[in-house]
Amino acid sequence: MAFQITIEDTGEQFACSETKHVLAGMQQLGKKGIPVGCRSGGCGVCKVQVLSGEYTSKKMSRDHVSSEEESGGVVLACRVFPASDMTLSVIGHLRKAVTR
């Protein structure tokens, strides 16, 4: 099943299945709204805040996402999988990538 992901910063939307991490879903459609780095949770470049929606996640590096941040919806897009439609805000250090 595919879910609708909205990047609040740009208004861009893309579909992502529950079997793909959010970053892969975005990349598959050629979107440039979320910064891309290592794609495995080690660099922290794809840091986003989930504003609404449900997701499952894999382990994230505490160098980039503290347990407090994670409990507040701050995650790495390459480590989360949608379980519903989601709205995200980009907070990674390459935020300039989302400006139009």
Side-chain angles (χ1 to χ4, degrees):
M1 171 179 233
F3 297 106
Q4 190 73 21
I5 311 300
T6 302
I7 302 172
E8 183 181 65
D9 308 79
T10 63
E12 291 180 286
Q13 297 182 326
F14 58 93
C16 185
S17 77
E18 70 252 0
T19 61
K20 291 193 179 286
H21 54 71
V22 169
L23 189 62
M26 181 204 66
Q27 289 181 286
Q28 184 175 350
L29 294 176
K31 300 295 182 187
K32 298 182 186 203
I34 300 172
V36 178
C38 69
R39 298 176 185 86
S40 63
C43 71
V45 171
C46 64
K47 198 174 198 181
V48 298
Q49 180 161 23
V50 177
L51 302 173
S52 66
E54 302 294 322
Y55 59 90
T56 59
S57 63
K58 290 187 175 181
K59 187 175 179 177
M60 286 176 247
S61 169
R62 291 296 174 222
D63 289 339
H64 303 296
V65 179
S66 70
S67 57
E68 293 81 21
E69 285 178 313
E70 189 174 355
S71 67
V74 175
V75 296
L76 300 177
C78 67
R79 306 304 285 169
V80 295
F81 301 80
S84 72
D85 291 347
M86 296 172 61
T87 301
L88 312 171
S89 178
V90 177
I91 58 176
H93 68 269
L94 291 179
R95 188 177 173 96
K96 290 180 185 176
V98 300
T99 59
R100 291 182 182 201

